Amino acid sequence: MNPSAVIIGGGLGGLLTGALLAKEGFRVTVLEKNATIGGGLQSFRRFGEVFDSGMHVIGGLEPGGNIRRICEYLGIFDKVRIRPVDDDATDELYFAEDHCRYRLAKGREGFVASLARYFPDEREHLRQYVDAIFRLTEEVDLFYLRPASAYMTTHSEEFFMSADAFIAKYLKNARLRSVAAYMNPFYGGRHDQTPAYIHAIISSLYITGAERFVGGSSHFADLLASVITEHGGEVVSSSPVAWVEVADRQVQYVRCTDGREYRADYYVSAIHPCTLLHIMPEHAFPKAFRQRLEDIPNAYSAFSLFIKVRENSFPYINHSEYYMTRYDDVWNFGRLDRPWPLGFLLMTPPEPDQGPYSRKVLVTAPMSFERVRQWEHTTVGHRGDDYLQWKAARTDDLLRLIEDMHPGFRDMVEDINTASPLTIRDYYGVKEGSLYGFSKDWKNITLSQLPVVTKVRNLLLTGQNNNLHGFCGVSLTAINTCEAILGLNHIVNKL
């Protein structure tokens, strides 16, 4: 009989791990707590429009790209609805401090040339910096889907230095350093903490080129689910796992809140590790390990606006816009001793029949969970009037800054739906509403290094808390998880 696997969590990590195992002949069952599968890929309907909840821009889908090769292996690439961002402006940055805008072009040469227009004396330094970024990515075989060695991998000195020190090593102009770090608030980057390799891998993806999902990201989750079901598996929504029974260092079964039990040869947790601990017996893991997981800092969360704009009022923008208040604060997102918001990401997601105007705008502003700590023990719909007033004030804060970048924007707004770190915590089931999983620190990199294998022999982990976060990081971790079952390079050799 075919081996079987039960996967806890139907986000990108769980669905992709399930799809890969199903492709390899496993009977896969994915259990998702929400009514809609997908996690950060979920879309929801408000005001007659479909909004994406999380993943808006992805890299690695260019010919030969790692995500594209995975999709081709699963047989779904031709069904993925994507639209490339503009070649001459993959991203546009606006710094309120001096009202300066920076447009970043696609490709290594395009990136260098576009920033050299603003900082002509730094052209050669920019070229060296970009070369260094891609040099660091070459140290990660899995990023290029190359077979890995069974031996311990060694890395360069730059690989584990702090990202801000890495940038400063190559770029001399202080403002250019901040511009180069523009994406760092949106992958959880912190001053003197985030390792350089994280900055390099994420930056290289968007320098190479980025794509947007057309008509909502949930269709990608549906494609992954179709791979599982077409190979005889099932994806069960509205099925929160309430308990994971462990005996003799093996999972015996998982039980959902409705009492149904599922048994398999292997179990994969695609939820936050701290969330997993709370549904397992204490004896499953040593006390020191459980305490270590609880002690690892989590990346900050976010406050988001899902805005429906009036018809033919706001243009469709085929790239992301980043608003930054001050150059010196680009590393300070998530800190409580700084005013909020320090900046945000603004996007207009494309539709299949996209014309010159957009009907919706997505705004995401990084925010520490501490800003909502006073409502920590409340539930959705029962947080109180003071919470609603607080959300309205934060919405006004963001609208005021959007007006700075797009004058007259308030008059274009028809309806607004909001999400706070509490929404993210409850919706995704992640500790403190963390958008980027465990926060990594170059000074103690082993603290947040969490292997996909566990002391429970048939229990594995997957998702953004193990290696890298983001669409690419979660996808590559799914390969790690599957190969922990199937054998080193089993899948990579087929890609």
Side-chain angles (χ1 to χ4, degrees), residues 1-212:
M1 295 178 63
N2 292 346
S4 56
V6 166
I7 297 176
I8 305 170
L12 173 62
L15 289 171
L16 189 48
T17 301
L20 290 169
L21 288 176
K23 177 82 171 178
E24 292 298 318
F26 278 64
R27 289 180 291 109
V28 173
T29 300
V30 177
L31 302 174
E32 165 56 37
K33 76 179 185 70
N34 290 325
T36 306
I37 63 170
L41 289 169
Q42 292 182 59
S43 300
F44 63 93
R45 182 173 290 275
R46 290 289 188 279
F47 323 125
E49 300 290 337
V50 175
F51 292 90
D52 289 340
S53 64
M55 298 182 185
H56 309 305
V57 183
I58 54 176
L61 282 171
E62 73 283 356
N66 48 24
I67 304 302
R68 178 165 178 162
R69 289 166 62 186
I70 295 170
C71 291
E72 289 172 340
Y73 170 68
L74 292 175
I76 62 173
F77 178 74
D78 292 341
K79 302 174 186 176
V80 179
R81 301 194 299 268
I82 52 175
R83 173 173 179 160
V85 299
D86 295 328
D87 286 350
D88 63 340
T90 59
D91 288 315
E92 183 173 344
L93 327 179
Y94 174 83
F95 281 84
E97 182 177 344
D98 59 0
H99 306 290
C100 189
R101 296 176 185 265
Y102 303 90
R103 292 170 64 89
L104 307 181
K106 176 182 176 181
R108 295 169 69 157
E109 286 303 317
F111 182 87
V112 170
S114 58
L115 283 180
R117 286 198 295 270
Y118 307 100
F119 304 94
D121 295 341
E122 292 272 10
R123 180 179 293 272
E124 186 54 36
H125 293 151
L126 280 162
R127 184 169 286 108
Q128 293 170 5
Y129 163 70
V130 171
D131 289 344
I133 282 176
F134 283 87
R135 191 165 59 244
L136 289 192
T137 67
E138 287 289 341
E139 298 185 34
V140 183
D141 285 330
L142 187 59
F143 185 70
Y144 292 98
L145 301 180
R146 296 189 299 244
S149 167
Y151 301 102
M152 183 71 71
T153 302
T154 58
H155 292 289
S156 65
E157 181 180 342
E158 288 185 339
F159 195 82
F160 289 123
M161 70 190 304
S162 70
D164 48 330
F166 171 77
I167 295 172
K169 178 178 179 179
Y170 292 96
L171 305 178
K172 309 307 175 186
N173 185 287
R175 290 197 169 185
L176 176 57
R177 293 174 185 172
S178 294
V179 171
Y182 78 96
M183 202 180 296
N184 123 76
F186 300 94
Y187 59 75
R190 300 173 189 259
H191 167 69
D192 197 31
Q193 289 188 12
T194 303
Y197 76 88
I198 292 179
H199 170 76
I201 286 174
I202 293 175
S203 296
S204 69
L205 282 169
Y206 292 97
I207 289 174
T208 301
E211 315 278 344
R212 290 173 157 186

Side-chain angles (χ1 to χ4, degrees), residues 367-380:
M367 174 182 278
S368 168
F369 189 80
E370 293 302 320
R371 297 189 185 274
V372 295
R373 182 71 71 180
Q374 62 181 300
W375 300 289
E376 179 180 14
H377 301 296
T378 62
T379 58
V380 176

Side-chain angles (χ1 to χ4, degrees), residues 228-289:
I228 295 170
T229 57
E230 287 168 7
H231 286 83
E234 60 179 339
V235 179
V236 188
S237 60
S238 299
S239 297
V241 172
W243 188 248
V244 179
E245 181 61 27
V246 178
D248 192 26
R249 293 181 57 203
Q250 288 203 124
V251 176
Q252 305 299 309
Y253 61 84
V254 300
R255 184 174 63 247
C256 295
T257 54
D258 62 5
R260 285 178 296 173
E261 294 182 357
Y262 294 85
R263 300 173 187 269
D265 299 307
Y266 296 94
Y267 299 81
V268 178
S269 172
I271 62 178
H272 194 289
C274 292
T275 304
L276 175 66
L277 290 181
H278 298 156
I279 57 174
M280 297 181 69
E282 287 191 359
H283 66 75
F285 294 116
K287 181 179 179 181
F289 178 75

Side-chain angles (χ1 to χ4, degrees), residues 212-223:
R212 290 173 157 186
F213 286 119
V214 175
S217 55
S218 61
H219 83 277
F220 191 80
D222 293 336
L223 288 175

